[in-house]
Amino acid sequence: MTGWRCSGICRALALLALLFPLRERGCWGLNPSSGDLEKSPRSDPDPWEGLHRNKRSWVWNQFFVLEEYTGNEPLYVGKLHSDVDKGDGKVKYVLSGEGATSIFTIDENTGDIHATKRLDREAQAYYTLQAQAVDRLTNIPVEPRSEFVVKVQDINDNEPKFLDGPYLAGVPEMSPLGTMVVQVAATDADDPTYGNSARVVYSIIHGQPYFSVEPKTGVIRTALPNMDRETRDQYVLVIQAKDMVGQMGGLSGTTSVTVTLTDVNDNPPRFTHKNYQYTVPESLPLQSVVARIKAADADIGSNAEMDFRIMDGDGPGMFNITTDEETQDGIIILLKPLDFETKSSFSLRIEATNRNIDSNFLSLGPFSDTTSVKVTVEDVNEPPVFSSPLSKMVVSEDARVGTSIGRVSAHDPDNSNNGIRYSIDRNTDLERFFNVDAMSGVISTAKSLDREANSVHNLTIFAMESRISLITVSDINDNAPVFAIDYETLLCENALPGQVIQTISAVDKDEPLSGHRFYFALAAPAAGNLNFTLRDNKDNTASVLTKRGGFRRREQPVYRLPVLIVDSGSPALSSTNTLSVRVCDCDSDGVALSCGAVAYTATGLSTGALLAILGCIMTLLVMVLLIVTMRRRRKEPLILEEERDIRENIVRYDDEGGGEEDTEAFDMVTLRNLNVIRDPNVRRDVTPDTPTFFHYPSTSRPSYKSLPDNVVFREFIWERLKDADVDPSVFGFFRGLRSNR
């Protein structure tokens, strides 16, 4: 008996097939009629038939391989064996088909089949292979070639996915409870025929209590009744799909569903005012817009469309009302001329009604509203009106100059009933034949008339109101606002954050009719500063507040804060005003004691102060050097004179020198050798009381005139030397002469 032998796993599966008739999972695959390997991998043979099969050469099983196997060794699939193989090594097993050698390998000696790669059922669910037993030496088949199937067994390795997500859906507002919104669907790539890997249930993670989802179908429904779009018009739901029927260990995926509440006509129109008042001039042309009134409707689109009508009012036929299709405003139009003197005001009652009313919401009330409109006619200064548009007058050609011909009359239709002044249009009376009295309107001749020259005169008479006109120059916005006063703002060093340190106001030379309205803000350079902020008080004043505390005069004694002031004119004008804030030392009550800059101590000098001090020191050094240099220059002549001949220091004359005769007048050798003549017994370290080069009696001393010239000169020099010795201010030159005696 020959045949294929199933592995131990397949035998166990065959036993299970005998116990549980799972036909699609049978281990046997026999065809009793042919005796060959069954071709179709999806056949479902009766497992009991396998026990009573006829003797055949091949027996095979459908092999199963678990997908996503992650072991280190090749996965054992099964074993093929032929009864021809006696175990002597003469039979060799050969495998071919899908994945042969690349995925599946067979031991040619034992017939063991292994999977060498990890398999993915979602990529390929089964593989069809061919097995053959051949003679090892001749390669001649000893068994016919037969096919068998390796089926990849599914595991739960794929999470559900919403291929159409995220979802956008809409549901009408005020929908009943349980109204279907949308259906979501998730797909699972796992095998739906095996286990629960692909059985998905749905749940809502985010979106309660407004919506719910059916676990099996994924249908999303409203969970609350009467959801109002005007309160909230959009919801974002998070829906989860979990396989394994939602059991623990299952995989899950999520998607978002954006639900928008669509509008229904559940809100009636409502007038923003119950009484409107408008003023129009009596000269307003026909078909002009008298007023626009607004009725608000919380709905949108066609549900907010409305129609207006005049329900009642005085002056029928004077006005009509239509709807502006873009803004849904009611537009009141003038149909007849206005006359202030006839009727100065009109009262109308107007109704606004929704154009598209939903019968499902009639219980919410009437979808209409009413309001009152009062139209006041403003008097306009109308021109005078003649009592007769054409007057015929007759005058004789021989009438004297100044003869009255007739009179014209006009009146002021206004209530003021001003006086009338008359005049002739001289374009119709170029030769000035006639005059008209300005006050009475009486026309008279101004020249002699000649019927033969001109028998008819057509005159045009002007009638004008006689009134005193007061001319007022209207104001335009041509002045920018400025600070009301020059503010002196003091800031205590101990100020706290958020403390108001100054309230400012503004003035403007202009005088608008509606009054001034000023807007305050910090100018752009100071808008983001960390020290101060500005708060517009909305009453034409603003407050300056601190942003922080801990201000120090030593760090910065004064702050300059640019404040932008804008008026309400058209066009608006603005100016930037600088507010000076001085930092002060204050007492505990916040009273400023001293403000402004303080002297810097030596330990706290800034870089600028150090540079200033260094500059002063350098200046003093330069001045000292200049003084020393000038003094040295002044002393240079004395030093130079020491190097000259001594005679040049003592021989000075006012007259012209005699050249060599000056030196011959006395003995120069004597001057250079004073020690020879001087008394050797006199102490050199003591200055004599009356130094002399010759001894004279104490009772008498010869005068200079009786002495020789050279002796007189020496005596003079000696006296000067004595004076120099006792005078400490005398330059050392003379002392030098004494030391060389």
PDB file of all heavy atoms in Angstrom, residues 682-706:
ATOM      1  N   VAL A 682      89.210 134.715  54.877  1.00  0.00           N
ATOM      2  CA  VAL A 682      87.758 134.743  55.102  1.00  0.00           C
ATOM      3  C   VAL A 682      87.187 133.344  54.910  1.00  0.00           C
ATOM      4  O   VAL A 682      87.501 132.646  53.948  1.00  0.00           O
ATOM      5  CB  VAL A 682      87.088 135.747  54.150  1.00  0.00           C
ATOM      6  CG1 VAL A 682      85.588 135.734  54.381  1.00  0.00           C
ATOM      7  CG2 VAL A 682      87.659 137.123  54.336  1.00  0.00           C
ATOM      8  N   ARG A 683      86.313 132.956  55.833  1.00  0.00           N
ATOM      9  CA  ARG A 683      85.691 131.621  55.716  1.00  0.00           C
ATOM     10  C   ARG A 683      84.735 131.577  54.531  1.00  0.00           C
ATOM     11  O   ARG A 683      83.919 132.464  54.328  1.00  0.00           O
ATOM     12  CB  ARG A 683      84.921 131.311  57.003  1.00  0.00           C
ATOM     13  CG  ARG A 683      85.834 131.087  58.202  1.00  0.00           C
ATOM     14  CD  ARG A 683      84.989 130.733  59.401  1.00  0.00           C
ATOM     15  NE  ARG A 683      84.218 129.532  59.105  1.00  0.00           N
ATOM     16  CZ  ARG A 683      83.344 129.018  59.995  1.00  0.00           C
ATOM     17  NH1 ARG A 683      83.154 129.599  61.155  1.00  0.00           N
ATOM     18  NH2 ARG A 683      82.668 127.931  59.666  1.00  0.00           N
ATOM     19  N   ARG A 684      84.873 130.507  53.813  1.00  0.00           N
ATOM     20  CA  ARG A 684      84.072 130.382  52.589  1.00  0.00           C
ATOM     21  C   ARG A 684      82.678 129.861  52.877  1.00  0.00           C
ATOM     22  O   ARG A 684      81.789 129.986  52.055  1.00  0.00           O
ATOM     23  CB  ARG A 684      84.780 129.459  51.597  1.00  0.00           C
ATOM     24  CG  ARG A 684      86.168 129.988  51.210  1.00  0.00           C
ATOM     25  CD  ARG A 684      86.853 129.057  50.256  1.00  0.00           C
ATOM     26  NE  ARG A 684      86.124 128.974  49.007  1.00  0.00           N
ATOM     27  CZ  ARG A 684      86.510 128.204  47.987  1.00  0.00           C
ATOM     28  NH1 ARG A 684      87.588 127.444  48.094  1.00  0.00           N
ATOM     29  NH2 ARG A 684      85.803 128.184  46.905  1.00  0.00           N
ATOM     30  N   ASP A 685      82.531 129.262  54.077  1.00  0.00           N
ATOM     31  CA  ASP A 685      81.208 128.735  54.371  1.00  0.00           C
ATOM     32  C   ASP A 685      80.333 129.711  55.126  1.00  0.00           C
ATOM     33  O   ASP A 685      79.212 129.401  55.481  1.00  0.00           O
ATOM     34  CB  ASP A 685      81.313 127.439  55.169  1.00  0.00           C
ATOM     35  CG  ASP A 685      82.075 127.652  56.463  1.00  0.00           C
ATOM     36  OD1 ASP A 685      82.772 128.673  56.549  1.00  0.00           O
ATOM     37  OD2 ASP A 685      81.928 126.785  57.360  1.00  0.00           O
ATOM     38  N   VAL A 686      80.863 130.965  55.406  1.00  0.00           N
ATOM     39  CA  VAL A 686      80.098 131.981  56.112  1.00  0.00           C
ATOM     40  C   VAL A 686      80.050 133.219  55.256  1.00  0.00           C
ATOM     41  O   VAL A 686      81.090 133.657  54.737  1.00  0.00           O
ATOM     42  CB  VAL A 686      80.723 132.307  57.485  1.00  0.00           C
ATOM     43  CG1 VAL A 686      79.935 133.406  58.180  1.00  0.00           C
ATOM     44  CG2 VAL A 686      80.784 131.047  58.338  1.00  0.00           C
ATOM     45  N   THR A 687      78.913 133.769  55.145  1.00  0.00           N
ATOM     46  CA  THR A 687      78.764 134.977  54.340  1.00  0.00           C
ATOM     47  C   THR A 687      79.215 136.174  55.172  1.00  0.00           C
ATOM     48  O   THR A 687      78.695 136.402  56.272  1.00  0.00           O
ATOM     49  CB  THR A 687      77.314 135.170  53.918  1.00  0.00           C
ATOM     50  OG1 THR A 687      76.896 134.035  53.180  1.00  0.00           O
ATOM     51  CG2 THR A 687      77.151 136.414  53.065  1.00  0.00           C
ATOM     52  N   PRO A 688      80.185 136.938  54.724  1.00  0.00           N
ATOM     53  CA  PRO A 688      80.661 138.092  55.509  1.00  0.00           C
ATOM     54  C   PRO A 688      79.595 139.154  55.559  1.00  0.00           C
ATOM     55  O   PRO A 688      78.749 139.253  54.686  1.00  0.00           O
ATOM     56  CB  PRO A 688      81.896 138.577  54.757  1.00  0.00           C
ATOM     57  CG  PRO A 688      81.677 138.108  53.356  1.00  0.00           C
ATOM     58  CD  PRO A 688      80.916 136.848  53.448  1.00  0.00           C
ATOM     59  N   ASP A 689      79.664 139.913  56.646  1.00  0.00           N
ATOM     60  CA  ASP A 689      78.696 140.995  56.795  1.00  0.00           C
ATOM     61  C   ASP A 689      78.892 142.051  55.732  1.00  0.00           C
ATOM     62  O   ASP A 689      77.936 142.503  55.132  1.00  0.00           O
ATOM     63  CB  ASP A 689      78.826 141.647  58.176  1.00  0.00           C
ATOM     64  CG  ASP A 689      78.455 140.676  59.289  1.00  0.00           C
ATOM     65  OD1 ASP A 689      77.673 139.732  58.971  1.00  0.00           O
ATOM     66  OD2 ASP A 689      78.929 140.849  60.406  1.00  0.00           O
ATOM     67  N   THR A 690      80.164 142.475  55.531  1.00  0.00           N
ATOM     68  CA  THR A 690      80.454 143.459  54.479  1.00  0.00           C
ATOM     69  C   THR A 690      81.587 142.922  53.656  1.00  0.00           C
ATOM     70  O   THR A 690      82.769 143.133  53.941  1.00  0.00           O
ATOM     71  CB  THR A 690      80.843 144.831  55.079  1.00  0.00           C
ATOM     72  OG1 THR A 690      79.819 145.221  55.968  1.00  0.00           O
ATOM     73  CG2 THR A 690      81.035 145.855  53.986  1.00  0.00           C
ATOM     74  N   PRO A 691      81.251 142.125  52.702  1.00  0.00           N
ATOM     75  CA  PRO A 691      82.321 141.490  51.905  1.00  0.00           C
ATOM     76  C   PRO A 691      83.080 142.546  51.105  1.00  0.00           C
ATOM     77  O   PRO A 691      82.501 143.488  50.581  1.00  0.00           O
ATOM     78  CB  PRO A 691      81.562 140.514  50.998  1.00  0.00           C
ATOM     79  CG  PRO A 691      80.190 141.059  50.907  1.00  0.00           C
ATOM     80  CD  PRO A 691      79.932 141.810  52.184  1.00  0.00           C
ATOM     81  N   THR A 692      84.363 142.366  51.031  1.00  0.00           N
ATOM     82  CA  THR A 692      85.224 143.276  50.259  1.00  0.00           C
ATOM     83  C   THR A 692      86.456 142.529  49.830  1.00  0.00           C
ATOM     84  O   THR A 692      86.825 141.524  50.421  1.00  0.00           O
ATOM     85  CB  THR A 692      85.624 144.517  51.085  1.00  0.00           C
ATOM     86  OG1 THR A 692      86.490 145.318  50.295  1.00  0.00           O
ATOM     87  CG2 THR A 692      86.323 144.123  52.376  1.00  0.00           C
ATOM     88  N   PHE A 693      87.070 142.984  48.802  1.00  0.00           N
ATOM     89  CA  PHE A 693      88.313 142.361  48.291  1.00  0.00           C
ATOM     90  C   PHE A 693      89.570 143.001  48.889  1.00  0.00           C
ATOM     91  O   PHE A 693      90.648 142.480  48.725  1.00  0.00           O
ATOM     92  CB  PHE A 693      88.364 142.493  46.771  1.00  0.00           C
ATOM     93  CG  PHE A 693      87.357 141.609  46.090  1.00  0.00           C
ATOM     94  CD1 PHE A 693      86.147 142.103  45.711  1.00  0.00           C
ATOM     95  CD2 PHE A 693      87.649 140.270  45.885  1.00  0.00           C
ATOM     96  CE1 PHE A 693      85.228 141.302  45.104  1.00  0.00           C
ATOM     97  CE2 PHE A 693      86.725 139.478  45.270  1.00  0.00           C
ATOM     98  CZ  PHE A 693      85.503 139.974  44.872  1.00  0.00           C
ATOM     99  N   PHE A 694      89.430 144.165  49.574  1.00  0.00           N
ATOM    100  CA  PHE A 694      90.567 144.857  50.185  1.00  0.00           C
ATOM    101  C   PHE A 694      90.185 145.265  51.587  1.00  0.00           C
ATOM    102  O   PHE A 694      89.010 145.520  51.858  1.00  0.00           O
ATOM    103  CB  PHE A 694      90.944 146.119  49.373  1.00  0.00           C
ATOM    104  CG  PHE A 694      91.424 145.800  47.975  1.00  0.00           C
ATOM    105  CD1 PHE A 694      90.533 145.823  46.927  1.00  0.00           C
ATOM    106  CD2 PHE A 694      92.741 145.458  47.741  1.00  0.00           C
ATOM    107  CE1 PHE A 694      90.964 145.540  45.666  1.00  0.00           C
ATOM    108  CE2 PHE A 694      93.155 145.169  46.453  1.00  0.00           C
ATOM    109  CZ  PHE A 694      92.287 145.200  45.404  1.00  0.00           C
ATOM    110  N   HIS A 695      91.256 145.337  52.429  1.00  0.00           N
ATOM    111  CA  HIS A 695      91.027 145.703  53.812  1.00  0.00           C
ATOM    112  C   HIS A 695      91.127 147.191  53.961  1.00  0.00           C
ATOM    113  O   HIS A 695      92.115 147.811  53.546  1.00  0.00           O
ATOM    114  CB  HIS A 695      92.053 145.009  54.733  1.00  0.00           C
ATOM    115  CG  HIS A 695      91.919 143.505  54.692  1.00  0.00           C
ATOM    116  ND1 HIS A 695      90.917 142.841  55.362  1.00  0.00           N
ATOM    117  CD2 HIS A 695      92.671 142.545  54.076  1.00  0.00           C
ATOM    118  CE1 HIS A 695      91.054 141.550  55.171  1.00  0.00           C
ATOM    119  NE2 HIS A 695      92.132 141.352  54.373  1.00  0.00           N
ATOM    120  N   TYR A 696      90.083 147.742  54.609  1.00  0.00           N
ATOM    121  CA  TYR A 696      90.069 149.182  54.874  1.00  0.00           C
ATOM    122  C   TYR A 696      89.904 149.380  56.376  1.00  0.00           C
ATOM    123  O   TYR A 696      89.308 148.532  57.051  1.00  0.00           O
ATOM    124  CB  TYR A 696      88.899 149.867  54.145  1.00  0.00           C
ATOM    125  CG  TYR A 696      88.977 149.690  52.624  1.00  0.00           C
ATOM    126  CD1 TYR A 696      88.187 148.750  51.991  1.00  0.00           C
ATOM    127  CD2 TYR A 696      89.853 150.484  51.878  1.00  0.00           C
ATOM    128  CE1 TYR A 696      88.250 148.584  50.623  1.00  0.00           C
ATOM    129  CE2 TYR A 696      89.910 150.309  50.504  1.00  0.00           C
ATOM    130  CZ  TYR A 696      89.112 149.378  49.873  1.00  0.00           C
ATOM    131  OH  TYR A 696      89.188 149.211  48.538  1.00  0.00           O
ATOM    132  N   PRO A 697      90.363 150.478  56.815  1.00  0.00           N
ATOM    133  CA  PRO A 697      90.142 150.762  58.229  1.00  0.00           C
ATOM    134  C   PRO A 697      88.652 150.841  58.499  1.00  0.00           C
ATOM    135  O   PRO A 697      87.867 151.228  57.642  1.00  0.00           O
ATOM    136  CB  PRO A 697      90.822 152.119  58.431  1.00  0.00           C
ATOM    137  CG  PRO A 697      91.831 152.192  57.308  1.00  0.00           C
ATOM    138  CD  PRO A 697      91.251 151.494  56.178  1.00  0.00           C
ATOM    139  N   SER A 698      88.333 150.462  59.771  1.00  0.00           N
ATOM    140  CA  SER A 698      86.930 150.434  60.142  1.00  0.00           C
ATOM    141  C   SER A 698      86.339 151.810  60.258  1.00  0.00           C
ATOM    142  O   SER A 698      85.134 151.986  60.147  1.00  0.00           O
ATOM    143  CB  SER A 698      86.751 149.672  61.473  1.00  0.00           C
ATOM    144  OG  SER A 698      87.523 150.315  62.462  1.00  0.00           O
ATOM    145  N   THR A 699      87.186 152.796  60.541  1.00  0.00           N
ATOM    146  CA  THR A 699      86.661 154.140  60.701  1.00  0.00           C
ATOM    147  C   THR A 699      86.353 154.799  59.403  1.00  0.00           C
ATOM    148  O   THR A 699      85.430 155.592  59.310  1.00  0.00           O
ATOM    149  CB  THR A 699      87.667 154.998  61.478  1.00  0.00           C
ATOM    150  OG1 THR A 699      88.898 155.008  60.739  1.00  0.00           O
ATOM    151  CG2 THR A 699      87.909 154.440  62.876  1.00  0.00           C
ATOM    152  N   SER A 700      87.032 154.437  58.399  1.00  0.00           N
ATOM    153  CA  SER A 700      86.819 155.105  57.097  1.00  0.00           C
ATOM    154  C   SER A 700      86.948 154.125  55.971  1.00  0.00           C
ATOM    155  O   SER A 700      87.706 153.183  56.029  1.00  0.00           O
ATOM    156  CB  SER A 700      87.814 156.248  56.926  1.00  0.00           C
ATOM    157  OG  SER A 700      89.130 155.730  56.861  1.00  0.00           O
ATOM    158  N   ARG A 701      86.124 154.335  54.961  1.00  0.00           N
ATOM    159  CA  ARG A 701      86.152 153.477  53.755  1.00  0.00           C
ATOM    160  C   ARG A 701      86.139 154.392  52.561  1.00  0.00           C
ATOM    161  O   ARG A 701      85.313 155.286  52.465  1.00  0.00           O
ATOM    162  CB  ARG A 701      84.930 152.557  53.731  1.00  0.00           C
ATOM    163  CG  ARG A 701      84.921 151.646  52.532  1.00  0.00           C
ATOM    164  CD  ARG A 701      83.694 150.790  52.586  1.00  0.00           C
ATOM    165  NE  ARG A 701      83.634 149.936  51.413  1.00  0.00           N
ATOM    166  CZ  ARG A 701      82.666 149.043  51.196  1.00  0.00           C
ATOM    167  NH1 ARG A 701      81.688 148.915  52.086  1.00  0.00           N
ATOM    168  NH2 ARG A 701      82.689 148.289  50.097  1.00  0.00           N
ATOM    169  N   PRO A 702      87.070 154.192  51.694  1.00  0.00           N
ATOM    170  CA  PRO A 702      87.109 155.088  50.510  1.00  0.00           C
ATOM    171  C   PRO A 702      85.860 154.905  49.664  1.00  0.00           C
ATOM    172  O   PRO A 702      85.271 153.855  49.604  1.00  0.00           O
ATOM    173  CB  PRO A 702      88.369 154.651  49.777  1.00  0.00           C
ATOM    174  CG  PRO A 702      88.621 153.244  50.226  1.00  0.00           C
ATOM    175  CD  PRO A 702      88.103 153.164  51.625  1.00  0.00           C
ATOM    176  N   SER A 703      85.471 156.027  49.054  1.00  0.00           N
ATOM    177  CA  SER A 703      84.310 155.977  48.148  1.00  0.00           C
ATOM    178  C   SER A 703      84.683 155.294  46.866  1.00  0.00           C
ATOM    179  O   SER A 703      85.853 155.109  46.552  1.00  0.00           O
ATOM    180  CB  SER A 703      83.808 157.398  47.876  1.00  0.00           C
ATOM    181  OG  SER A 703      84.815 158.119  47.181  1.00  0.00           O
ATOM    182  N   TYR A 704      83.566 154.895  46.104  1.00  0.00           N
ATOM    183  CA  TYR A 704      83.818 154.200  44.837  1.00  0.00           C
ATOM    184  C   TYR A 704      84.533 155.075  43.840  1.00  0.00           C
ATOM    185  O   TYR A 704      85.245 154.586  42.978  1.00  0.00           O
ATOM    186  CB  TYR A 704      82.496 153.711  44.234  1.00  0.00           C
ATOM    187  CG  TYR A 704      81.921 152.522  44.977  1.00  0.00           C
ATOM    188  CD1 TYR A 704      80.691 152.599  45.594  1.00  0.00           C
ATOM    189  CD2 TYR A 704      82.652 151.341  45.053  1.00  0.00           C
ATOM    190  CE1 TYR A 704      80.157 151.533  46.283  1.00  0.00           C
ATOM    191  CE2 TYR A 704      82.123 150.271  45.745  1.00  0.00           C
ATOM    192  CZ  TYR A 704      80.894 150.355  46.351  1.00  0.00           C
ATOM    193  OH  TYR A 704      80.394 149.288  47.035  1.00  0.00           O
ATOM    194  N   LYS A 705      84.375 156.362  43.971  1.00  0.00           N
ATOM    195  CA  LYS A 705      84.995 157.262  42.986  1.00  0.00           C
ATOM    196  C   LYS A 705      86.499 157.301  43.127  1.00  0.00           C
ATOM    197  O   LYS A 705      87.214 157.544  42.158  1.00  0.00           O
ATOM    198  CB  LYS A 705      84.437 158.673  43.144  1.00  0.00           C
ATOM    199  CG  LYS A 705      82.962 158.754  42.763  1.00  0.00           C
ATOM    200  CD  LYS A 705      82.473 160.172  42.881  1.00  0.00           C
ATOM    201  CE  LYS A 705      81.019 160.303  42.478  1.00  0.00           C
ATOM    202  NZ  LYS A 705      80.520 161.693  42.577  1.00  0.00           N
ATOM    203  N   SER A 706      86.984 157.097  44.401  1.00  0.00           N
ATOM    204  CA  SER A 706      88.433 157.157  44.628  1.00  0.00           C
ATOM    205  C   SER A 706      89.120 155.853  44.332  1.00  0.00           C
ATOM    206  O   SER A 706      90.343 155.774  44.369  1.00  0.00           O
ATOM    207  CB  SER A 706      88.700 157.571  46.086  1.00  0.00           C
ATOM    208  OG  SER A 706      88.154 156.589  46.957  1.00  0.00           O
TER     209      SER A 706
END
